[in-house]
Amino acid sequence: MNNDCIFCKIVSGDIPGAIVYRDEQATAFRDINPVAPTHILIVPNRHIESVSTLEPADEPLMGHLFTVARGLAEKEGIDKTGYRLISNHGADGGQTVFHLHVHLIGGQRMKHPMG
Ligand code: 5GP
Ligand code: ZN
């Protein structure tokens, strides 16, 4: 737990979040500023700043974030229509919260190109 990290505080329950999924490794909650009808953030429970600080031992955890995303997409009813998974890293990536997270966005047709 990083005491300065807003997502650590949501995971620990110190500040409220609209939590939609939780297990020993990961927590998912609705983005406070949704950009689509479904906008959920999937985070590791442990504080990991970004992909830049990942270790080889984190590979199962990173895969787990994607299977959680898959399950949530089904629960949200967007698995057939499709969705987008985004993970921003560092300044040029547009990361604003430095606790690794995957955005699950769907319920509308996404625009291209990215960037
Ligand atoms: P990033 O820009 O780092 O990829 O994404 C951070 C996301 O966290 C943004 O989409 C932003 O709306 C969301 N966010 C920031 N603060 C909070 C918060 O306190 N609660 C929730 N639920 N989402 C937040
Ligand atoms: Zn954190």
Side-chain angles (χ1 to χ4, degrees):
M1 163 117 192
N2 177 329
N3 288 325
D4 299 323
C5 173
I6 197 132
F7 288 178
C8 279
K9 288 180 183 161
I10 291 174
V11 168
S12 68
D14 288 348
I15 66 166
I19 291 174
V20 293
Y21 178 84
R22 184 200 288 284
D23 65 27
E24 323 78 63
Q25 295 184 83
T27 299
F29 48 89
R30 295 199 188 275
D31 196 292
I32 205 166
N33 186 22
V35 299
T38 292
H39 188 168
I40 292 172
L41 301 171
I42 303 154
V43 310
N45 292 343
R46 177 163 58 88
H47 183 81
I48 299 174
E49 199 173 295
S50 81
V51 159
S52 311
T53 59
L54 279 179
E55 307 281 348
D58 296 322
E59 285 177 14
L61 172 62
M62 292 306 290
H64 184 61
L65 299 184
F66 273 70
T67 52
V68 169
R70 178 207 156 161
L72 286 169
E74 287 171 9
K75 217 165 134 189
E76 293 283 307
I78 58 171
D79 54 314
K80 305 279 192 304
T81 46
Y83 49 90
R84 187 171 280 174
L85 298 175
I86 301 172
S87 196
N88 298 318
H89 299 280
D92 278 0
Q95 186 176 11
T96 59
V97 177
F98 289 85
H99 179 130
L100 190 151
H101 51 279
V102 177
H103 298 253
L104 165 62
I105 299 172
Q108 69 185 31
R109 185 60 63 94
M110 297 299 151
K111 297 185 188 81
H112 264 292
M114 290 182 279

